[in-house]
Amino acid sequence: MGDYKPSAAETSLSTATQLAKEIQNHPPTDQSGVLYRQLRQPPLNIVKARGNYLVTDTGLEIFDATCGAAVSCLGHNDQRVHEAIQEQLQKVSYCYSLYFTNSSMENLCKFLVDSTGGKMSRAYIVGSGTEAVEASLKMAVQYFMELPTPQPQRVNFIARKQSYHGNTLGSLSVGHHVGRRAIYEKILAKNVTHVSQCYPYRDMKSYETVEEYVGRLAQELEDEFQRLGPDTVCAFVAETMSGATLGCMPALPGYLKAMKEVCERHGALLILDEVMSGMGRTGTLHAWEQEDVVPDLQTIAKGLGGGYAPIAGLLLNKHVVDTLTKGTGSFVHSQTYQGHPVSCAAAYRVQKIIQEDNLLPNVREMGTYLGQRLHEKLDSHPHVGDIRGRGLFWAIEFVQDKRTKEPFPPSQGISWTVHTTGLKPEHAISLIPGNGGADGINGDHVCLAPAYNITRAEIDLIVDRVTAVVQDALGH
Ligand SMILES: *Cc1c(COP(=O)(O)O)cnc(C)c1O
């Protein structure tokens, strides 16, 4: 699947008439019914997709080097997943989880729990990463109410700067995407504070060792617990590997362990958000497998369903489930579409394919290769400040001045320019733009997150195109 490339002839012949119709069906912006993300700037119209390629209504074949937002981990149009969806539709498309279960949800949750070696003992399936994060926050609060001696005073959350956890009011409150928060600040939750992100490129001092830097971050968390009152903290929330907001920053060795130790010292929970970094993206099914740490609550989403259905999950550590089971025995939370049979069938098939096709070793191997090639081609570029990542999840951070690491002024919109340059027909590659990584306002990067079945030749193609895009957009 991964190496399918529709030929120009195929695109133009087999779909020519259909394309003409599609174009007709999509009138100019002022006649569109869609509230586009850029209201005055309609995005390209994708009429079909296969493997790594997205095809627009003008026949442009765009290499999807990001799986959308790190979603389409098997590439597009995998017939095996389509079949699983069809099969589920023949059985039952929807049943209400208040009083029914369904075999696809059972299969998926069993798979997920088993994949953690039983460390996480139950899964709660919802429709988006945001919903999973909301559920995790509410579960953390309820957990403390269900202890033999309830701790209702634990209402504070500590999260990290330059993090992203979703866009509803609760998840936006724990996140720290400055641009997305700004106009809503006054209605965001007041029980959340933010400590520094783990970001050695800008924040580790030249005289510090990794241990010293990690120690300093752990001390900052400890100080925040003390400031709030250690027994008022409900949970510390962090992305296991920072995603699109900071730009693909893996945790430094020992960092998450040190943070978890602070939580444990004060009886607070650790919530790891793996919506973007989990389900294989960083080379292991769960990103925490590469850290010396197991979360109390874990969120997953993007790669879970590979884009074949909107789906996300909350995984619960055994001790949390046991506490609830011995307590009221019911999570005070629900959503109409939780455990949706069709979404679960799609995600279960996606996960079985990752297993059957043995894709995780490929993620690790091709990820290492992608990193090497990016360094080789772009390290010397005067406006490339940092290249970092893990597995098939890499970011390139742009700077105005390499020596001082001074970012470009946000008004220049550098990451957006790089992204739109990528979509020009002569490059035809999609890159995720990100800004504000340096301090919330300044900083530009793009992220790469190709499909798990990517080949060496396709990595070469990505790196060649990205290099050309960077040169086209930033010179040299
Ligand atoms: C994308 C993302 C979310 C939100 O997921 P949605 O499906 O967009 O609601 C939450 N956390 C992280 C780390 C993400 O990358």
Side-chain angles (χ1 to χ4, degrees):
M1 297 304 298
D3 53 12
Y4 175 86
K5 183 184 187 303
S7 66
E10 186 189 349
T11 305
S12 53
L13 283 179
S14 72
T15 54
T17 27
Q18 203 196 331
L19 286 179
K21 225 162 66 192
E22 298 269 2
I23 295 165
Q24 261 177 21
N25 289 342
H26 286 83
T29 344
D30 56 351
Q31 290 166 36
S32 172
V34 179
L35 183 76
Y36 294 122
R37 292 181 58 162
Q38 315 289 328
L39 261 69
R40 289 187 299 266
Q41 204 181 346
L44 296 176
N45 181 13
I46 301 302
V47 294
K48 69 174 196 173
R50 188 103 180 243
N52 291 303
Y53 287 87
L54 295 162
V55 185
T56 70
D57 56 5
T58 58
L60 179 64
E61 296 167 7
I62 298 170
F63 194 98
D64 186 3
T66 63
C67 294
V71 172
S72 312
C73 57
L74 298 181
H76 301 277
N77 224 331
D78 191 311
Q79 294 305 309
R80 295 168 293 182
V81 187
H82 292 190
E83 277 160 25
I85 291 171
Q86 285 289 349
E87 228 172 83
Q88 182 62 50
L89 284 170
Q90 300 303 329
K91 291 184 198 155
V92 52
S93 56
Y94 174 76
C95 56
Y96 190 21
S97 67
L98 178 60
Y99 35 75
F100 297 121
T101 185
N102 65 83
S103 54
S104 286
M105 174 167 73
E106 295 289 341
N107 288 340
L108 178 64
C109 292
K110 184 80 172 77
F111 169 88
L112 290 170
V113 164
D114 288 350
S115 73
T116 67
K119 288 178 176 124
M120 310 305 273
S121 72
R122 295 291 165 108
Y124 182 83
I125 302 299
V126 289
S128 71
T130 295
E131 289 170 48
V133 170
E134 289 284 343
S136 77
L137 303 175
K138 291 178 79 175
M139 178 55 83
V141 168
Q142 191 179 344
Y143 165 80
F144 285 107
M145 298 303 293
E146 304 268 337
L147 289 172
T149 312
Q151 301 185 25
Q153 81 286 0
R154 288 202 186 256
V155 293
N156 290 317
F157 288 87
I158 304 175
R160 299 190 305 175
K161 291 175 186 154
Q162 269 63 269
S163 59
Y164 183 63
H165 298 296
N167 253 334
T168 53
L169 293 174
S171 59
L172 192 61
S173 297
V174 284
H176 198 262
H177 188 293
V178 174
R180 290 181 181 180
R181 288 174 59 104
I183 65 165
Y184 302 112
E185 281 294 347
K186 289 213 166 104
I187 58 165
L188 293 181
K190 299 288 177 279
N191 59 333
V192 184
T193 53
H194 298 89
V195 293
S196 298
Q197 67 280 39
C198 179
Y199 187 24
Y201 174 62
R202 288 186 184 279
D203 295 347
M204 190 169 132
K205 311 282 184 218
S206 55
Y207 51 81
E208 267 177 333
T209 62
V210 167
E211 294 79 56
E212 285 166 345
Y213 176 47
V214 164
R216 178 156 65 83
L217 293 171
Q219 187 59 47
E220 184 185 344
L221 182 62
E222 171 68 31
D223 292 347
E224 190 56 15
F225 267 84
Q226 294 302 337
R227 195 182 69 80
L228 293 165
D231 68 339
T232 70
V233 179
C234 184
F236 173 62
V237 187
E239 294 163 81
T240 312
M241 174 172 161
S242 288
T245 300
L246 184 59
C248 306
M249 184 60 224
L252 285 177
Y255 167 76
L256 284 170
K257 184 160 190 264
M259 302 309 262
K260 169 128 199 204
E261 275 166 13
V262 176
C263 295
E264 277 178 342
R265 192 178 309 145
H266 302 299
L269 298 183
L270 172 68
I271 301 176
L272 288 184
D273 183 350
E274 301 208 351
V275 165
M276 206 164 197
S277 60
M279 303 320 293
R281 178 53 58 195
T282 66
T284 47
L285 198 62
H286 305 292
W288 54 258
E289 291 174 62
Q290 295 173 67
E291 311 296 337
D292 192 8
V293 67
V294 178
D296 298 300
L297 295 166
Q298 174 194 358
T299 55
I300 52 175
K302 291 173 171 123
L304 175 61
Y308 290 89
I311 187 165
L314 169 65
L315 302 186
L316 303 98
N317 192 295
K318 188 170 181 316
H319 82 95
V320 176
V321 177
D322 289 350
T323 300
L324 225 73
T325 308
K326 288 190 206 121
T328 61
S330 159
F331 184 19
V332 189
H333 184 64
S334 76
Q335 303 217 249
T336 302
Y337 291 129
Q338 79 187 60
H340 194 281
V342 180
S343 300
C344 288
Y348 183 57
R349 193 68 189 100
V350 167
Q351 294 310 314
K352 294 306 279 185
I353 291 171
I354 291 175
Q355 220 174 34
E356 287 161 17
D357 291 358
N358 204 20
L359 294 180
L360 294 182
N362 195 60
V363 172
R364 294 191 287 269
E365 200 181 315
M366 289 302 114
T368 304
Y369 183 60
L370 174 59
Q372 273 168 10
R373 294 292 331 271
L374 286 172
H375 280 298
E376 208 176 287
K377 298 273 272 192
L378 285 166
D379 268 349
S380 60
H381 192 282
H383 295 304
V384 170
D386 193 31
I387 296 173
R388 54 181 177 257
R390 178 181 287 173
L392 284 172
F393 200 29
W394 284 81
I396 305 165
E397 180 170 339
F398 304 109
V399 289
Q400 192 161 219
D401 184 320
K402 224 168 158 126
R403 197 180 43 84
T404 63
K405 303 183 183 176
E406 189 193 347
F408 284 98
S411 58
Q412 284 194 27
I414 291 295
S415 59
W416 189 252
T417 303
V418 174
H419 159 78
T420 50
T421 303
L423 291 181
K424 293 204 298 198
E426 60 267 39
H427 299 300
I429 185 165
S430 76
L431 305 168
I432 304 175
N435 50 37
D439 58 11
I441 310 283
N442 299 288
D444 288 279
H445 60 266
V446 291
C447 297
L448 287 165
Y452 298 175
N453 47 21
I454 201 88
T455 63
R456 196 167 276 264
E458 287 162 345
I459 296 277
D460 289 338
L461 177 149
I462 291 173
V463 174
D464 286 348
R465 288 194 188 182
V466 169
T467 304
V469 168
V470 171
Q471 286 165 350
D472 187 356
L474 301 176
H476 302 280

